[in-house]
């Protein structure tokens, strides 16, 4: 077993976390913040849009079970990579689409993947997902971890998160735990 890590920003981390905790081969999903200028920011600071951070999930996965390309297939299906600094009604730089890598290999895989989607005309608009080295990562506060699991009937969870989970279940049933 070779354990790997990739950090993904696809809008609100509650949505992205709720999807990837259901994926076979993903060992851990942690909501957090990265690529900003303030060490250990709080949720309130990140929400101002002034810290430069992105809401992300950091995935630890077993690459003998699921590879990075398959994780990217899921990622690009459950969020909109064509909207700059927003996902639906969540607007701000903290909701930008991004892939934050810890190795040159992962950066190449991510860039090649985006190039292939672009070449195939997979989306109605240009892909704006940034691919950057991971920096200034910190875990989000404890109350953000496993948020959907703890609050499935909360309004945002029921109307925004749950449809993304359903999309995973319909499109990637072969990857479900």
């Amino acid at each position: 077993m070779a354990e790997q890590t990739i950090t993904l920003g696809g809008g609100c981390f509650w949505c992205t976390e709720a999807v990837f905790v259901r994926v076979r081969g993903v060992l851990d999903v942690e909501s957090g913040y990265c690529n900003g200028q303030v060490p250990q920011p709080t949720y309130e600071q990140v929400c101002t849009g002034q810290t430069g951070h992105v809401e992300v999930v950091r995935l630890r996965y077993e690459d003998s079970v699921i590879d990075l390309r398959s994780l990217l297939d899921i990622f690009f299906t459950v969020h909109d990579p064509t909207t700059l600094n927003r996902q639906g009604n969540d607007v701000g730089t903290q909701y930008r689409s991004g892939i934050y890598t810890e190795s040159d290999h992962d950066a190449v895989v991510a860039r090649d993947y985006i190039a292939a989607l672009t070449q195939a005309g997979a989306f109605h608009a240009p892909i704006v997902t940034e691919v950057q080295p991971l920096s200034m990562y910190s875990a989000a506060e404890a109350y953000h971890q496993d948020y959907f699991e703890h609050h499935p009937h909360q309004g945002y969870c029921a109307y925004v998160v749950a449809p993304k989970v359903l999309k995973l279940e319909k499109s990637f049933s072969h990857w479900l735990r």
Side-chain angles (χ1 to χ4, degrees), residues 27-170:
L27 304 171
D28 185 56
V29 182
E30 180 179 70
S31 291
Y33 316 107
C34 75
N35 288 50
Q37 298 86 30
V38 176
Q40 302 292 313
T42 65
Y43 178 69
E44 290 75 18
Q45 289 174 309
V46 172
C47 284
T48 69
Q50 301 302 306
T51 69
H53 287 83
V54 185
E55 284 192 17
V56 295
V57 292
R58 192 167 194 201
L59 308 179
R60 280 189 316 105
Y61 65 98
E62 186 179 344
D63 71 354
S64 64
V65 177
I66 188 167
D67 64 354
L68 179 55
R69 189 169 176 84
S70 297
L71 290 169
L72 294 176
D73 285 342
I74 294 167
F75 178 62
F76 278 87
T77 298
V78 299
H79 91 291
D80 184 350
T82 69
T83 55
L84 186 62
N85 299 330
R86 81 175 303 147
Q87 284 295 301
N89 290 328
D90 293 330
V91 179
T93 56
Q94 69 270 27
Y95 300 116
R96 66 189 180 265
S97 176
I99 302 167
Y100 305 97
T101 62
E102 298 179 46
S103 73
D104 291 339
H105 173 266
D106 287 355
V108 169
V109 170
R111 286 189 183 99
D112 288 351
Y113 185 87
I114 291 169
L117 289 177
T118 300
Q119 178 72 26
F123 294 95
H124 65 282
I127 295 171
V128 297
T129 304
E130 64 183 12
V131 178
Q132 299 289 330
L134 179 70
S135 68
M136 298 286 286
Y137 176 81
S138 61
E141 296 81 352
Y143 70 91
H144 288 298
Q145 306 303 327
D146 302 310
Y147 194 86
F148 180 68
E149 304 310 311
H150 296 298
H151 308 283
H153 303 294
Q154 185 257 13
Y156 187 90
C157 289
Y159 294 104
V160 179
V161 182
K164 291 179 184 267
V165 171
L166 184 61
K167 187 181 266 190
L168 168 75
E169 291 170 351
K170 285 185 174 186

